[in-house]
Amino acid sequence: MDLSRRGFLQAAALTAAASGLTVACGGGSGSAGSKNGKNLTLWYWGGALSDKVVAEARTHFSGQVKLTAASIGGDFKQKLTTTLAAGASVPDITGIKGEDMASFLPNAGRFLDLNDLGFKKIASQYLDWKTKLAQTEDGKQIGFPIDIGPTALFYRADLFDKAGLPTDPDKVAARAGTWEEYFALGTELREKVPGTYLVNNIGSVFTMAVGQGTERFIDKDNHFIGDQGHIRKAWTTAVRPYTLGLDAKINDNTWNAAVGKTLSTELGAAWHALDIEQAAPKTKGKWRVCAMPGGPANQGGSYLALPKQCRNPEEAFKIISWILSPENDARGFTDAAIFPAAPAAYAMPAMTGGDPFFGGQKVIDVFGPAAKAIPAAYEAPADAAVMAPFMTELSSIEAKGKKPEDAWKDAVAQARQIARRQGVN
Amino acid sequence: MLSHWRQYLAISPFFLIFGVFSFFPVFYSLYLAFQRWDGLGTVQFVGLQQFRFLWDDPVFWLSIRNTLVIWVLSTVPTLFGALVLATLLHSVRRFKGFYRIALYVPNVTSIVAVSIFFGAVFSNNFGLVNAILGTVGISPVPWLSNPWLIKLVIALLMTWMWTGYNMIIYLAGLQAIPAQIYEAARLDGAGPIRTFFQITMPIMRPIILFTVIISTINGLQSFSEPQVLFGSNAANPNLGGPGQAGLTTLLYFYQSAFVNNDYGYGAAIVWAFFVLIMVLVVVNWRLVQRGRKS
């Protein structure tokens, strides 16, 4: 992220200026351009789509339209928001990160309803819970699911073996079915193989535990529920490894140095496999994956959307439904570790092969069922902002030894204030 | 006036660009401070509500405290170190150009690269500093998780970056002092320390005050250092490090406006911060006035 102070201030000034001008002009968006243009632009970020599939889409549709794909770096959401607010040079097709989708939904009017273009007919091909997260209350579909991030437990089979624990994924999953069992396993591992930790930080446990529930911090009626039982339970779960001494307390950028050295397990989404592989190439073949304690959650996963200014909605929709067809989605997994949102892809040869990094294990056997079992939870626009103080307070426990009970109270108070600021009652 | 229209036309691009990209946004942000806006939807007038929230927001006050602590921890050693280095460099006879460049280079290196480097060097578990401390039997120091040490590392980073810059300014000031004054002092039997405090310091006073003001402005705007040191990603939005010990006011503003899409609140934060900077400028100005009178 190359953002100098000066550059940042300039960007901020530009943003304000651009939006100010739009307001001044009465928000004249969507008026320019005809609706059957021959040039279409596609915005995505590195790793959001398979570059090979995008390149093929360009030739595949060259008879009808000229598709220009741009890989946008930096803060993608910020750039998209600015462009949409300005109403000029808006891309015809754009990616939206899964975690940003909730904050775009209140402004669904800025995007086309994909159901009008035929998404309804093919929606059943994609995971229902994922599709719903890009849907407004009144049923407008603004996002076409690209990928998802089903979570699992990554573990070091060699260390498990050394500790006399089972190494087979099914057996490990059976031994670590619940969070408590997982921590007990970690304690045993810690005794046999000193110097290893179970989790990198307790914030990651909290994220996972919250994701396993059907409710988050704000309910559908726009009430703050971050102080209730389900969050409290996730919090207690997160604090456990800290009190048991299984927490590596890594809150800085040294995670990649710890992987393959002191971290014996990792909780993460399917795409996390690539992170581990890049951070610790020497541990190739020693890792395995199994079902996550307490059930799967989702982390990450993106969408494609058509802004209202799209110059040729019919063709644009054809392009995205081609790029994200189950066959091409499966290729995304091979090319860029993008885990498809279309379950039909899970049975395709591109995904059923063994992964040498995981000792030849067929990881789809773990992620496939996890993808289908992810609980659907309503995500409010302010959800990410309201979750932040919980993460901060958990890091305070690790960094300053703050009492978990005090940290909980401060987190709830702070979260409630942010919620009120963002219009949650 | 109209007879000079060519000249006015020639300088107009600056004022046009300034007006559009600086003047207008500044006042637009003031307007935003009284609204609630998510960046795309409708702008809703909320009166002084954002400032009410700000007043009750412990994180805002924490960020102000952090900023001031980091500012003091970085400005004092920066200016003192710069003056000492400038004096040393002034008396050096050989390799003058080399020393000047070597000491100035940190200021022109990318702040992002420096922050990444510092993050690696001071890392709790695998950092170079802790590795060196380990060889002499000192147990690892939690540089990037202890609330005070986080601030110290950020301050150290800023000191490293800005000492050379201030040194160049001081050096220019030192070179403007006539050599005769020093000769006279030497004839009167003043040693180097006495010369420094009785001659160099008083003559340099306006230059030192200039650097104090520049450092105030730079130091209070610390943003990139904690932003890069405690980098954010989808799973971990940047909260200014463990316990928010490295959360500076500008970083908090950035988070509120651009991460949480709460532009009205972000505007309120920067305007409140602007008032604080104005107070500090007045304090500085008072100090200058007092210096003139005595």
Side-chain angles (χ1 to χ4, degrees), chain A residues 36-345:
Chain A
N36 34 31
K38 289 277 172 218
N39 291 307
L40 291 181
T41 49
L42 161 66
W43 276 19
Y44 67 113
W45 57 93
L49 294 167
S50 157
D51 293 327
K52 281 184 204 156
V53 173
V54 171
E56 255 173 56
R58 203 163 16 195
T59 48
H60 193 264
F61 289 93
S62 58
Q64 292 85 29
V65 289
K66 185 170 170 284
L67 180 69
T68 318
S71 181
I72 308 286
D75 190 342
F76 190 88
K77 177 183 94 168
Q78 194 45 48
K79 286 178 182 168
L80 183 61
T81 308
T82 311
T83 316
L84 287 174
S89 338
V90 179
D92 301 289
I93 307 168
T94 181
I96 293 183
K97 293 188 181 178
E99 65 268 24
D100 299 333
M101 185 42 94
S103 68
F104 278 111
L105 280 176
N107 297 301
R110 299 269 186 178
F111 299 93
L112 295 171
D113 184 356
L114 299 177
N115 280 334
D116 294 346
L117 296 161
F119 182 71
K120 240 184 191 132
K121 274 175 243 150
I122 52 169
S124 60
Q125 290 180 13
Y126 300 88
L127 288 163
D128 193 45
W129 61 267
K130 180 69 181 174
T131 309
K132 274 212 179 101
L133 285 173
Q135 219 170 56
T136 59
E137 287 287 287
D138 53 351
K140 268 186 80 177
Q141 184 71 40
I142 69 166
F144 198 126
I146 302 175
D147 65 320
I148 56 166
T151 59
L153 175 65
F154 298 85
Y155 64 94
R156 283 278 298 275
D158 58 328
L159 294 177
F160 274 47
D161 193 35
K162 217 164 137 193
L165 291 165
T167 55
D168 178 67
D170 290 332
K171 283 183 188 140
V172 175
R175 279 286 301 272
T178 66
W179 286 104
E180 227 16 78
E181 285 169 355
Y182 170 54
F183 299 143
L185 184 113
T187 314
E188 206 180 320
L189 185 73
R190 189 86 213 266
E191 278 162 19
K192 306 264 177 59
V193 190
T196 59
Y197 294 97
L198 200 62
V199 296
N200 62 346
N201 61 48
I202 56 180
S204 66
V205 178
F206 183 71
T207 314
M208 298 296 168
V210 170
Q212 287 171 334
T214 50
E215 279 178 311
R216 294 181 67 86
F217 298 87
I218 298 160
D219 69 8
K220 276 192 172 161
D221 300 323
N222 206 27
H223 291 306
F224 174 70
I225 52 168
D227 55 347
Q228 292 180 9
H230 62 290
I231 300 296
R232 179 74 220 208
K233 204 175 138 219
W235 174 277
T236 319
T237 304
V239 174
R240 280 293 282 162
Y242 170 77
T243 46
L244 292 170
L246 302 170
D247 175 18
K249 302 178 191 169
I250 298 170
N251 277 306
D252 58 5
N253 293 336
T254 52
W255 170 83
N256 41 359
V259 169
K261 291 201 186 94
T262 57
L263 285 171
S264 54
T265 68
E266 272 287 301
L267 298 161
W271 45 262
H272 193 54
L274 200 65
D275 295 340
I276 300 177
E277 204 171 331
Q278 283 168 352
K282 282 189 193 143
T283 55
K284 184 176 174 177
K286 292 175 179 166
W287 290 87
R288 297 288 183 280
V289 197
C290 76
M292 197 170 76
N298 180 60
Q299 204 180 26
S302 316
Y303 297 92
L304 282 180
L306 304 179
K308 215 177 177 74
Q309 287 91 341
C310 179
R311 288 170 291 186
N312 194 341
E314 269 81 40
E315 279 302 321
F317 186 77
K318 270 184 211 155
I319 293 173
I320 59 176
S321 44
W322 185 84
I323 290 177
L324 300 176
S325 65
E327 301 81 48
N328 286 329
D329 229 4
R331 288 174 56 203
F333 186 71
T334 330
D335 296 347
I338 303 163
F339 196 85

Side-chain angles (χ1 to χ4, degrees), chain A residues 1 3 5 8 13-14 19 75 77-78 84 99 107 110 253-254 257 385 392 395-396 399-400 414 417 421-422, chain B residues 21 38 40-41 53 56-57 59 123 126 145 147 221 224 234 239 242-244 254 258-262 265:
Chain A
M1 180 148 187
L3 191 67
R5 182 188 309 140
F8 156 70
L14 275 168
S19 44
D75 190 342
K77 177 183 94 168
Q78 194 45 48
L84 287 174
E99 65 268 24
N107 297 301
R110 299 269 186 178
N253 293 336
T254 52
T392 303
S395 73
S396 280
K400 296 191 269 192
Q414 183 61 31
Q417 213 206 10
R421 222 185 280 153
Q422 304 241 341
Chain B
F21 293 108
D38 66 357
L40 283 176
F53 283 141
D56 296 332
D57 184 358
V59 180
S123 153
F126 306 98
S145 57
Q221 290 185 43
S224 313
L239 309 163
Q244 295 186 313
Y254 175 78
F258 298 98
V259 180
N260 292 352
N261 278 9
D262 202 347
Y265 194 61

